Amino acid sequence: TIVNKKNLIHLKTGESINIDVGGAYSGTLVWSPDGSQLAYASCQQNPQDPYSIEKSSVQIYTLDTGDLRTVLEVNENQLLIDVRHSSTQLKIINYDIENGKENYLFFDWSSEQLITPTPGP
């Protein structure tokens, strides 16, 4: 079992904060616009095939309360956070490894709702 922890240091207080992501590999941390929450995508490998993903999720950690919640979880695909997208919404990429296709969702920080974009013409 892989134990993966993110260790954060609060620069003003020097306090160390550990986020335990369990047996998953985690990606880049992304701050909420107000700096009170951190988002990251994580994935767990398939135990029978280390080159495939069993499940992937997007987690949000709230600094004040220490709460960790899952906002999205999928099986077999990889979820990624687009760190280049900066706004009031967190852009999530749902990557279908088998077909090489990407779908996008957005997590609205203020309403805490997932938004599926409507395809354009």
Side-chain angles (χ1 to χ4, degrees):
T1 302
I2 299 163
V3 177
N4 188 356
K5 293 183 183 250
K6 292 289 186 180
N7 186 22
L8 308 172
I9 303 293
H10 190 293
L11 294 178
K12 288 184 181 178
T13 66
E15 177 186 5
S16 178
I17 302 166
N18 287 308
I19 303 173
D20 186 352
V21 296
Y25 292 102
S26 59
T28 304
L29 295 167
V30 177
W31 289 101
S32 63
D34 67 1
S36 67
Q37 299 179 89
L38 286 168
Y40 64 91
S42 65
C43 64
Q44 292 182 332
Q45 290 177 317
N46 182 331
Q48 285 78 35
D49 180 4
Y51 298 105
S52 67
I53 293 174
E54 185 174 285
K55 68 179 177 178
S56 184
S57 62
V58 172
Q59 310 283 328
I60 306 270
Y61 178 81
T62 304
L63 271 68
D64 293 343
T65 63
D67 290 337
L68 181 65
R69 69 186 187 281
T70 302
V71 295
L72 180 62
E73 185 173 88
V74 297
N75 292 324
E76 300 176 358
N77 288 358
Q78 183 177 18
L79 294 175
L80 305 162
I81 295 174
D82 186 347
V83 296
R84 298 167 297 172
H85 183 82
S86 60
S87 72
T88 58
Q89 296 176 342
L90 181 68
K91 184 178 181 181
I92 300 169
I93 303 163
N94 184 351
Y95 179 63
D96 183 338
I97 296 169
E98 192 171 307
N99 298 317
K101 293 185 179 182
E102 295 179 349
N103 292 308
Y104 302 95
L105 297 137
F106 294 89
F107 175 78
D108 185 81
W109 287 104
S110 61
S111 70
E112 298 190 353
Q113 299 293 313
L114 279 174
I115 301 164
T116 304
T118 306

